[in-house]
């Protein structure tokens, strides 16, 4: 067993089930602790510049990764035309930089604003540090090792599928540059922190708002008597 | 007809002393844990003034409540469904802590630790957020009793409809006038906070109308804070959850009046059940502005009407509650006598807390001789009634607060209260009531009998008459198994787990 196997086989197989089980436990049995932990009421201006670009940039970049994972052929076909490849690469890089800029503002905000600082826990710092590492290594990968959108589908897509289908092949990523490895490994660290930090807020994205009725009226416990008379 | 019961409160503004006992009772009961110090679920504002949070009525700025579209439909002023999700990362209409105030305490320990010296030791103010020393620059009632002064009063959004020369007069020192407006959550029939919550964590209890945040479902998206036009939902920066007035439901469920009402020194508060037709809510909330008060009041049903009683029973309203609705003091003021109005009906949330507009500052127009007409005191009552529009607190101002700018309901309420006063004055000072006074009463839409009842319930009512709270049944109680008070310091409002921060 070498380092590569530990980092890219044992670690993912340890953190992913942990994240799933622990998140489910927290959402079901500790729901009171699940919150986006907004600090907007304490500080709003820097949050505007930080949160919007960080979230939109990051959510879009993550979606890009997901598409490359689930629909690799689409990406390959798209990239067949050089102009389209450049367009995709440039967009990805721009979004990454946008997210990074936002993340930097958020980190600076946590550090510099006394009110936000007062509500900052070690977990908040940890999450921001990991995310900044993620974004910095991601942006560097995109600039130094072009064209990521092409080789991702050749390297990471089969690697991640091999993990998912329980026929792990960590050797697929063994020869990657250390920067790229750091980017990938850091993601596993984020997964590990996911259930224990504010990151759980990501899975509570309230899409139900698009169709639920505007008003919610609840009978605490309907008296059994003539409950048929009421809707 | 889909009849439901509502626990409502009525504030008789004529009687409010502005003593803040209500606010302090509420604070001690619910909002002293860290993260909620800045919240005043019950606050008392001096008016004209800018209120708490500052300028909360400025909906151009805070985007609270509903608006009526050209097609006559309602939409949230804050956001559409899609925009609601798009704004999750940053809520553009959220008030900042400085719109409320930075909560503070004093470093009392310094008083004990100070070395012996020639000066008195002092306890310096410190922020309850950062713990650092601060200069206190505002508070939840910073403009207490100063509302008359130009700095605060001039910015009151309700003064917009008041003619410029009247506004100018308001600022003259001799004419300075103010009144108090205590406010809690209005537990609306068409709540904007419920509609704005992306998680669907806020709901209205069908049994008694109390609007509650389910803090196990709340994710701190903080949309409700912005959507509530009364700014009565607050974001707790410790727990990351929204919190609001719960109408003291644990007290109601054990037969006690809410803390604010129970402790009210001026005895201005009345608590009782109103029956309403839930089917009427959507149409009543979307009528043109001029009809809002009327449409809301017509959704409130007469508990003495056998048809209503039958419908209420069919809809599953508890018989004890129907009976209590018949004895409700709130019903008498709101519907029978028509002198209590909802706060800002133009927000279209159908607020279910009601206000009797203040009469006293109006009377003092004459009694202080400041705008005294040359009439014999015996005639003053009559002239006042005819002259309501010259009231020291402009009637347009009150109308902007209580009837969407329509002076008619406010004028009618004040005229009736004034007639009752004249009637009781004749009766107790002169021993008999002359024809002219009865005529005045009649013109105000009242009668000697009604005047006597209004007088009784306004001035002499006992505890049991002011608070008519029917039995809650155990099967409708949710918090019976946990004791919110025992756990409030450690874990939010009655939940048994510690929060994240
Ligand atoms: C997709 C749905 C998401 C939603 C609705 C969402 C929403 C929010 C909200 C409301 C806040 C609080 C902002 C405030 O202080 O007011 C927040 C903070 C944060 N979110 Fe998200 N988020 C999402 C996705 C993500 C993702 C994908 C990540 C990273 C992987 C992330 C990382 C963070 C971090 C680190 C903070 C704390 C920022 C700070 O330091 O103040 N979020 N998010
Ligand atoms: S306790 Fe009663 S009288 Fe005193 S301020 Fe509150 S509402 Fe007014």
């Amino acid at each position: 067993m070498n380092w590569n196997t530990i980092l890219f086989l044992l670690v993912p197989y340890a953190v992913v089930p942990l994240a799933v089980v622990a998140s489910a436990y927290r959402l079901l049995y500790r729901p009171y602790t699940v919150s986006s932990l907004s600090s907007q009421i304490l500080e709003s201006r820097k949050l505007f510049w930080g949160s919007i670009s960080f979230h939109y940039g990051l959510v879009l970049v993550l979606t890009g990764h997901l598409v490359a994972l689930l629909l690799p052929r689409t990406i390959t076909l798209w990239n067949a035309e050089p102009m389209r490849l450049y367009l995709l690469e440039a967009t990805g890089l721009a979004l990454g930089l946008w997210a990074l800029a936002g993340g930097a503002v958020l980190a600076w905000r946590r550090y510099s604003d006394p009110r936000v600082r007062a509500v900052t826990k070690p977990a908040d710092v940890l999450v921001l540090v990991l995310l900044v590492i993620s974004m910095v290594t991601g942006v560097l990968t995109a600039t130094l090792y072009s064209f990521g959108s092409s080789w991702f589908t050749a390297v990471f897509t089969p690697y991640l599928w091999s993990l998912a289908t329980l026929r792990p092949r960590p050797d697929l990523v063994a020869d990657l540059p250390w920067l790229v490895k750091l980017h990938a490994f850091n993601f596993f660290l984020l997964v590990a922190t996911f259930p224990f930090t504010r990151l759980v807020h990501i899975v509570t994205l309230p899409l139900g708002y698009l169709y639920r009725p505007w008003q919610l009226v609840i009978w605490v416990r309907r008296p059994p008597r003539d409950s048929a008379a009421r809707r | 007809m889909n009849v439901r019961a509502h626990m409502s409160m009525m504030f008789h503004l004529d009687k409010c002393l502005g003593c803040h006992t209500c606010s302090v009772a509420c604070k001690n009961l619910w909002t002293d844990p860290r993260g909620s110090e800045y919240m005043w679920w019950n606050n008392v504002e001096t008016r004209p003034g800018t209120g708490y949070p500052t300028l909360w009525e400025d909906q151009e700025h805070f985007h609270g409540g509903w608006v009526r579209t050209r097609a006559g439909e309602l939409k949230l002023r804050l956001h559409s469904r899609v925009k609601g999700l798009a704004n999750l990362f940053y809520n553009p209409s959220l008030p900042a802590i400085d719109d409320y105030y930075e909560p503070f305490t004093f470093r009392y320990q310094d008083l004990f630790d100070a070395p012996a010296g020639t000066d008195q030791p002092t306890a310096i103010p410190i922020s309850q957020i950062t713990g650092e020393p601060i200069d206190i620059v505002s508070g939840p009632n910073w403009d207490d009793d100063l509302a008359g002064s130009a700095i605060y009063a001039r910015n009151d959004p309700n003064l917009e409809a008041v003619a410029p020369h009247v506004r100018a007069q308001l600022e003259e020192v001799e004419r300075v006038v103010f009144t108090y407006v205590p406010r809690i959550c209005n537990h609306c029939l068409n709540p904007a906070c419920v509609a704005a919550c992306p998680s669907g964590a806020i709901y209205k209890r069908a049994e008694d109308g109390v609007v509650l945040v389910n803090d196990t479902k709340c994710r701190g998206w903080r949309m409700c804070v912005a959507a509530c036009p009364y700014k009565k939902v607050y974001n707790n920066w410790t727990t990351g959850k929204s919190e609001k007035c719960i109408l003291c439901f644990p007290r109601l469920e054990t037969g006690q009046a809410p803390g604010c009402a129970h402790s009210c020194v001026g005895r201005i508060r009345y608590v009782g059940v109103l029956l309403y037709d839930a089917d009427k809510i959507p149409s009543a909330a979307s009528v043109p502005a001029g009809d809002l008060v009327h449409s809301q009041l017509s959704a409130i049903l007469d508990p003495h009407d056998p048809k209503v009683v039958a419908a209420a029973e069919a809809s599953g309203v508890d018989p004890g509650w129907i009976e209590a609705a018949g004895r409700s003091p709130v019903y008498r003021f709101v519907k029978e006598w028509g002198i209590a109005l909802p706060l800002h009906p133009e927000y279209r949330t159908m607020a279910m807390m009601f206000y009797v507009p203040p009469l006293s500052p109006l009377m003092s127009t004459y009694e202080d001789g400041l705008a005294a007409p040359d009439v014999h005191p015996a005639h003053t009552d009559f002239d006042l009634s005819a002259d309501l529009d010259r009231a020291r607190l402009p009637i347009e101002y009150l109308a902007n607060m209580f009837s969407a700018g329509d002076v008619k309901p406010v004028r009618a309420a004040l005229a009736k209260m004034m007639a009752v006063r004249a009637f009781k004055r004749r009766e107790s000072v002169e021993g008999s009531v002359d024809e002219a006074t009865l005529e005045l009463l009649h013109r105000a839409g009242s009668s000697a009998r009604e005047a006597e009842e209004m007088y009784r319930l306004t001035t002499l009512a006992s505890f049991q008459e002011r608070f008519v709270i029917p039995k809650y049944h155990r099967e409708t109680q949710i918090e019976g198994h946990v004791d919110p008070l025992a756990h409030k310091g450690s874990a939010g409002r009655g939940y048994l787990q510690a929060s994240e921060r």
Side-chain angles (χ1 to χ4, degrees):
Chain A
M1 183 163 303
N2 58 11
W3 274 108
N4 193 62
T5 319
I6 295 174
L7 296 185
F8 293 98
L9 191 151
L10 290 187
V11 170
Y13 276 150
V15 297
V16 172
L18 171 77
V20 172
V21 173
S23 301
Y25 176 81
R26 185 166 171 197
L27 287 165
L28 291 175
Y29 297 105
R30 290 282 180 271
Y32 184 63
T33 66
V34 180
S35 165
S36 68
L37 291 177
S38 168
S39 52
Q40 185 182 344
I41 189 163
L42 300 178
E43 199 290 324
S44 186
R45 266 191 73 80
K46 287 176 215 156
L47 187 79
F48 170 81
W49 294 107
S51 186
I52 296 180
S53 44
F54 167 77
H55 275 102
Y56 273 107
L58 202 59
V59 167
L60 290 174
V61 169
L62 278 175
T63 314
H65 284 63
L66 207 64
V67 171
L69 184 63
L70 298 177
L71 306 166
R73 304 239 350 247
T74 324
I75 301 275
T76 316
L77 285 176
W78 171 275
N79 282 347
E81 180 85 43
M83 267 326 279
R84 294 199 299 215
L85 169 69
Y86 297 149
L87 186 67
L88 182 63
E89 284 286 326
T91 314
L93 184 60
L95 287 174
L97 285 170
W98 195 36
L100 179 58
V105 174
L106 286 179
W108 174 55
R109 170 177 179 269
R110 288 242 159 236
Y111 172 76
S112 66
D113 191 283
R115 289 176 183 170
V116 181
R117 222 171 154 162
V119 298
T120 299
K121 291 194 320 170
D124 300 321
V125 180
L126 176 70
V127 163
L128 275 180
V129 167
L130 289 179
L131 282 169
V132 168
I133 294 178
S134 203
M135 291 183 289
V136 169
T137 53
V139 165
L140 285 178
T141 303
T143 39
L144 299 178
Y145 305 106
S146 51
F147 295 103
S149 65
S150 281
W151 59 253
F152 185 102
T153 54
V155 181
F156 276 116
T157 306
Y159 163 65
L160 289 168
W161 274 113
S162 80
L163 290 182
T165 52
L166 300 183
R167 274 172 304 212
R169 296 212 26 218
D171 52 298
L172 283 174
V173 292
D175 296 331
L176 288 174
W178 68 268
L179 183 72
V180 183
K181 278 192 186 166
L182 176 59
H183 182 68
F185 182 71
N186 189 65
F187 176 75
F188 296 141
L189 292 184
L190 276 167
V191 173
T193 53
F194 185 89
F196 308 106
T197 60
R198 59 137 49 89
L199 286 183
V200 268
H201 75 269
I202 301 170
V203 290
T204 62
L205 178 68
L207 289 177
Y209 192 54
L210 293 174
Y211 52 84
R212 78 160 171 87
W214 285 114
Q215 293 299 347
L216 300 174
V217 176
I218 293 179
W219 293 88
V220 173
R221 197 168 299 160
R222 233 178 240 197
R225 194 170 57 85
D226 66 33
S227 51
R230 276 177 278 115
R231 203 172 32 83
Chain B
M1 201 163 9
N2 178 8
V3 184
R4 287 193 212 132
H6 203 290
M7 192 57 84
S8 280
M9 199 183 289
M10 196 281 290
F11 303 74
H12 202 306
L13 294 188
D14 232 7
K15 306 208 291 171
C16 181
L17 330 170
C19 63
H20 301 270
T21 306
C22 45
S23 306
V24 173
C26 178
K27 167 111 330 227
N28 282 330
L29 273 170
W30 303 116
T31 57
D32 54 349
R34 183 166 162 77
S36 58
E37 302 98 336
Y38 84 95
M39 303 176 194
W40 292 84
W41 292 357
N42 181 108
N43 75 301
V44 184
E45 317 186 334
T46 311
R47 289 315 189 96
T50 48
Y52 158 88
T54 308
L55 288 174
W56 60 271
E57 286 153 305
D58 183 355
Q59 305 306 345
E60 299 297 314
H61 179 59
F62 284 125
H63 300 106
W66 302 85
V67 283
R68 186 173 183 264
T69 62
R70 280 230 192 86
E73 276 163 5
L74 282 192
K75 67 177 206 315
L76 279 181
R77 200 192 285 268
L78 184 67
H79 60 217
S80 63
R81 291 171 190 270
V82 173
K83 199 174 152 204
L85 292 189
N87 282 341
L88 280 178
F89 311 125
Y90 175 86
N91 179 346
S93 306
L94 190 77
I97 190 84
D98 293 320
D99 287 322
Y100 304 89
Y101 71 108
E102 180 160 357
F104 54 85
T105 181
F106 297 88
R107 206 181 269 163
Y108 294 108
Q109 194 58 39
D110 288 2
L111 299 182
F112 299 96
D113 297 346
T118 50
D119 296 329
Q120 287 275 13
T122 50
I124 56 162
I126 52 170
S127 160
Q128 281 179 309
I129 300 175
T130 61
E132 297 299 314
I134 57 166
D135 276 333
I136 304 169
V137 290
S138 70
N141 59 336
W142 205 243
D143 59 351
D144 218 29
D145 292 3
L146 289 174
S149 74
I151 330 166
Y152 295 106
R154 192 179 287 158
N155 299 322
D156 187 326
N158 297 300
L159 286 171
E160 245 160 50
V162 178
H165 71 277
V166 182
R167 291 185 67 160
Q169 285 175 11
L170 270 179
E171 287 175 12
E172 289 167 24
V173 171
E174 305 78 30
R175 285 187 56 104
V176 158
V177 59
F178 59 76
T179 186
Y180 300 109
V181 180
R183 300 199 299 123
I184 63 174
C185 164
N186 286 290
H187 297 276
C188 308
L189 287 189
N190 186 34
C193 57
V194 173
C197 174
S199 301
I202 314 184
Y203 62 99
K204 189 171 181 69
R205 301 211 301 191
E207 286 81 359
D208 59 1
V210 176
V211 175
L212 291 176
V213 180
N214 177 347
D215 59 14
T216 62
K217 281 180 96 180
C218 171
R219 300 283 170 258
W221 307 127
R222 67 242 177 293
M223 293 300 165
C224 50
V225 180
C228 171
Y230 303 96
K231 290 292 163 283
K232 281 293 172 187
V233 193
Y234 304 84
N235 184 265
N236 182 321
W237 46 264
T238 309
T239 60
K241 305 277 172 170
S242 288
E243 290 169 5
K244 65 181 285 298
C245 159
I246 57 178
L247 204 62
C248 284
F249 73 84
R251 289 177 58 90
L252 287 173
E253 288 174 0
T254 48
Q256 308 169 77
C260 54
H262 192 130
S263 64
C264 176
V265 176
R267 303 180 180 186
I268 81 154
R269 300 186 183 219
Y270 297 74
V271 180
V273 175
L274 297 177
L275 298 179
Y276 65 99
D277 184 355
D279 288 342
K280 276 199 183 158
I281 297 171
S283 57
S286 49
V287 296
D291 302 333
L292 276 168
V293 173
H294 178 76
S295 73
Q296 173 169 358
L297 294 189
S298 63
I300 298 171
L301 305 168
D302 179 359
H304 308 295
D305 179 348
K307 278 208 291 282
V308 170
V309 172
E313 279 171 354
S315 307
V317 179
D318 184 84
W321 281 64
I322 302 175
E323 189 270 331
R327 290 185 291 123
S328 166
V330 182
Y331 181 80
R332 308 206 83 181
F333 280 103
V334 173
K335 285 279 283 197
E336 268 180 51
W337 303 333
I339 60 170
L341 299 164
L343 183 60
H344 285 300
E346 74 275 19
Y347 297 160
R348 296 177 184 277
T349 58
M350 299 182 72
M352 286 300 270
M353 305 290 134
F354 295 87
Y355 290 84
V356 172
L359 187 56
S360 301
L362 199 139
M363 295 297 283
S364 56
T365 306
Y366 293 86
E367 287 170 354
D368 297 355
L370 290 174
D374 291 327
V375 286
H376 190 270
H379 293 281
T380 328
D381 291 333
F382 299 98
D383 297 297
L384 268 168
S385 272
D387 234 6
L388 268 177
D389 292 337
R390 289 178 52 197
R392 200 157 139 209
L393 193 59
I395 202 155
E396 292 85 0
Y397 176 78
L398 293 174
N400 257 4
M401 287 190 94
F402 301 115
S403 57
D406 179 6
V407 294
K408 281 196 298 298
V410 175
R411 191 185 282 140
L414 294 180
K416 199 181 244 192
M417 291 160 69
M418 226 179 270
V420 171
R421 232 182 233 205
F423 172 81
K424 288 309 288 185
R425 184 163 9 223
R426 295 291 177 284
E427 201 186 63
S428 49
V429 178
E430 286 158 30
S432 68
V433 183
D434 56 344
E435 272 305 310
T437 308
L438 285 175
E439 170 63 20
L440 181 77
L441 204 53
H442 189 68
R443 257 189 288 125
S446 190
S447 65
R449 200 173 132 245
E450 190 187 84
E452 188 60 36
E453 284 174 5
M454 279 175 65
Y455 159 75
R456 254 206 69 82
L457 195 57
T458 304
T459 57
L460 304 173
S462 69
F463 206 79
Q464 280 74 17
E465 286 169 284
R466 279 184 285 130
F467 308 131
V468 179
I469 297 162
K471 283 205 170 64
Y472 278 66
H473 295 280
R474 283 203 77 70
E475 70 271 18
T476 62
Q477 296 176 7
I478 46 169
E479 297 295 320
H481 54 291
V482 287
D483 174 6
L485 260 187
H487 298 283
K488 66 176 178 136
S490 58
R493 321 265 162 247
Y495 205 69
L496 299 177
Q497 295 169 2
S499 68
E500 174 70 3
R501 277 196 288 236

